Amino acid sequence: MKTVELDRITIHKPSVTDLEIAYVNDAIRNGWGDHCYDYIKRFEKSFAAYQGSAYSLATASCTGAIHLALAAMGVGAGDEVIVPDINWIASVAPVTYLGAKPVFVDVLEDSWCLDPARIEAAITPRTKAIIAVHLYGNLAEMEPIMRIARKHGLRVLEDAAEGLGSLYQGQKAGTFGDIGVFSFHGAKTMSTGEGGMLVTSDAALMERVRILGDHGRDPKVNRVFWMAELGYKYKMSNLQAAMGCAQIERVDELVDKKREIFGWYREFLASVPGLRLNPEPAYTRNSYWMPTAVFDPARAVRNLDLMAYLKEQNIDSRPMFYPLSSLPMFEEVRENAVAYGLYHRALNLPSHHEHTRDQIERVCQTIVHYLDYVKG
Ligand SMILES: *Cc1c(COP(=O)(O)O)cnc(C)c1O
C-alpha cells in the first residue's frame, strides 16, 4: 500500500452545516449590545431541556465547569475527591486548583469507568466528593455510585464530557450526580470550538455556581461592582453559543451518527479474536463518543505500535489515557491493577461525522492486517 494514494482518515472534527454558519453569522452581525446574551440564554435553555435538568450554565470550557462545580460543592484545601484513575486530566486538575487531593480509584475491566466496589475503601473523613466519568461514551455505574455517595454524605460530580446522549437505565448521562458537566471542545460529539455546560436540578447549588462564576457577585445584593467573596470567570461567548444552538438542534442526528459509525466497527471487528470494543450493557445506551479497541493481553499488542502502523497508512488514532496516578505530579497507585494493565493495550479509533462506511472498513482491514501479518 502506498500512503500517498490513501485519503487521510482523521480521528475527529465537528460537524458543521449551514445552520451553524447562519447562527454564527447572525451572532457576529447582531449579537452585541442588548443582544449580547441572546444566544447564550437560548443555548442554556435548549441544553437544559434536552437533558431534562432544571438549571444550566454555559461555560468557556468543561474544565471551568468542573472547577465551578467543585467550588460550589464546597471542596477546599485538605479535602479529598475520589476520581477514576483512567481519565482525562481535565476531570482532576480543578480538584488541585482548590487545594484538594484527588484519590485515584481503579476502573472496571469492561467499561473502563470507576469501579463502584472499590469506592468505599477509598473514603476517609476528608472525602468530600466523587467524580464519576463516562469514558468514551461508556456509562459509569451511576446507581451504585449514587447509593454509596448518599450513604456517606458525599457530593457527586458527573463528568459527562464524553457521555452526551448516553443513557443509563433510560435516563440521560449527566443528570444523576448533584451536578453534571459537558464539553464542547472540537473533538467532542457536539462542539462550539471550545466550551462547556454545567447542569443541575439543585437550586441551592445553582445559586452558588452563579455567584462563584460571576466573580463572586451576588445578584441579590444591589450594589454595582460589589463582591462579598472572590470567584471565577468562565463565561461562554455569544458567538460560541450561536454554534451551540445549532448543534443542540442537531444533537440526536449527531449521536445517531456516532452510533452508526460504531455499528460499522462492530460489524468489521466483531469476529477478530482477542479484541473488544466499548460495551453496551442492556440497561444502557452508549453514545460511543470514541470507538475504542482493547486487545487481550495474550495478543501482546502495544497501542503505540499499532498507532504508528495506522499512521503509515494515513489513519489517525490515539492511545487510551494514561492512569492519571502514573503522571509525574501525582503519586503512583500501582494497586489500580486494572488501570495499569489496560491503557497500553487500548486505542481510540476515528469517528467523526463525515466518515463513510468504506473508510471505517479500511480502518478495520488495516487493524486486521496489522494483527495477522505485520505483528506476526
Ligand atoms: C474533554 C473532557 C473534559 C474537558 O473539556 P474541556 O472543554 O476541554 O475543558 C473533561 N472531562 C473529560 C472526561 C473530557 O473528555
Side-chain angles (χ1 to χ4, degrees):
M1 277 195 271
K2 276 235 307 287
T3 303
V4 283
E5 289 166 4
L6 298 170
D7 306 334
R8 168 121 181 266
I9 300 183
T10 51
I11 188 155
H12 44 58
K13 84 175 175 192
S15 166
V16 176
T17 66
D18 288 345
L19 190 66
E20 284 79 4
I21 292 166
Y23 286 1
V24 174
N25 269 326
D26 178 51
I28 200 165
R29 282 179 199 282
N30 307 311
W32 310 105
D34 286 350
H35 298 292
C36 72
Y37 297 121
D38 288 3
Y39 278 107
I40 299 174
K41 286 184 188 142
R42 179 169 152 192
F43 184 35
E44 287 174 343
K45 257 183 119 162
S46 24
F47 195 88
Y50 172 72
Q51 282 298 123
S53 300
Y55 311 105
S56 58
L57 181 79
T59 54
S61 69
C62 179
T63 309
I66 293 170
H67 192 182
L68 281 180
L70 293 171
M73 288 173 177
V75 172
D79 290 337
E80 293 177 0
V81 177
I82 289 173
V83 296
D85 207 344
I86 297 259
N87 201 350
W88 176 230
I89 188 76
S91 300
V92 172
V95 173
T96 69
Y97 304 165
L98 293 161
K101 182 182 162 211
V103 174
F104 298 101
V105 169
D106 210 356
V107 297
L108 291 165
E109 181 69 47
D110 55 354
S111 71
W112 327 315
C113 294
L114 189 60
D115 183 349
R118 294 177 192 273
I119 293 175
E120 284 194 301
I123 295 174
T124 75
R126 318 220 68 155
T127 311
K128 199 68 171 252
I130 300 170
I131 302 181
V133 183
H134 302 295
L135 202 73
Y136 306 137
N138 302 353
L139 279 300
E141 291 293 343
M142 292 317 296
E143 188 181 296
I145 291 171
M146 293 311 296
R147 197 176 342 105
I148 294 161
R150 294 300 174 241
K151 179 174 153 198
H152 294 272
L154 305 177
R155 292 291 199 178
V156 174
L157 170 58
E158 199 183 345
D159 183 346
E162 306 181 3
L164 179 73
S166 285
L167 303 177
Y168 182 85
Q169 297 175 351
Q171 188 182 324
K172 293 238 167 66
T175 59
F176 291 85
D178 298 293
I179 292 179
V181 291
F182 296 84
S183 170
F184 311 125
H185 174 263
K188 299 290 159 58
T189 296
M190 155 178 166
S191 182
T192 59
E194 294 279 1
M197 188 74 79
L198 180 156
V199 299
T200 183
S201 291
D202 182 319
L205 269 179
M206 194 62 202
E207 193 185 347
R208 283 302 292 154
V209 165
R210 285 201 196 286
I211 293 170
L212 288 168
D214 191 24
H215 282 305
R217 244 188 312 207
D218 185 342
K220 293 197 302 295
V221 177
N222 196 14
R223 273 166 90 179
V224 177
F225 296 147
W226 171 262
M227 293 90 190
E229 63 181 316
L230 280 173
Y232 309 93
K233 190 201 170 198
Y234 287 121
K235 285 187 190 173
M236 176 181 274
S237 78
N238 201 52
L239 290 174
Q240 292 166 300
M243 181 168 173
C245 284
Q247 295 264 290
I248 194 71
E249 278 182 41
R250 297 179 54 227
V251 64
D252 290 335
E253 172 203 333
L254 296 174
V255 171
D256 287 351
K257 185 69 197 188
K258 285 283 189 181
R259 287 180 56 78
E260 182 179 29
I261 292 168
F262 186 84
W264 296 330
Y265 277 110
R266 194 165 35 211
E267 180 185 338
F268 298 125
L269 293 176
S271 57
V272 177
L275 181 166
R276 64 201 164 85
L277 299 166
N278 312 50
E280 188 179 49
Y283 53 92
T284 69
R285 180 182 79 159
N286 195 324
S287 61
Y288 297 121
W289 171 58
M290 278 268 160
T292 301
V294 175
F295 299 92
D296 280 358
R299 291 218 76 144
V301 172
R302 267 194 69 236
N303 58 2
L304 298 182
D305 295 340
L306 175 55
M307 188 170 93
Y309 179 74
L310 290 169
K311 189 86 194 159
E312 282 170 25
Q313 312 302 324
N314 238 354
I315 297 168
D316 292 346
S317 60
R318 20 174 273 185
M320 180 176 267
F321 299 127
Y322 285 94
L324 291 180
S325 70
S326 73
L327 300 183
M329 56 289 208
F330 299 118
E331 264 170 58
E332 257 192 353
V333 188
R334 284 264 160 200
E335 303 77 64
N336 289 344
V338 177
Y340 279 76
L342 177 68
Y343 74 98
H344 48 79
R345 51 191 175 87
L347 196 69
N348 299 146
L349 303 172
S351 69
H352 75 61
H353 295 90
E354 283 157 35
H355 285 140
T356 63
R357 185 184 152 90
D358 286 351
Q359 285 179 311
I360 301 304
E361 186 170 18
R362 192 180 115 211
V363 175
C364 296
Q365 281 171 347
T366 310
I367 292 171
V368 170
H369 189 266
Y370 177 81
L371 295 175
D372 290 352
Y373 302 103
V374 180
K375 223 192 127 270

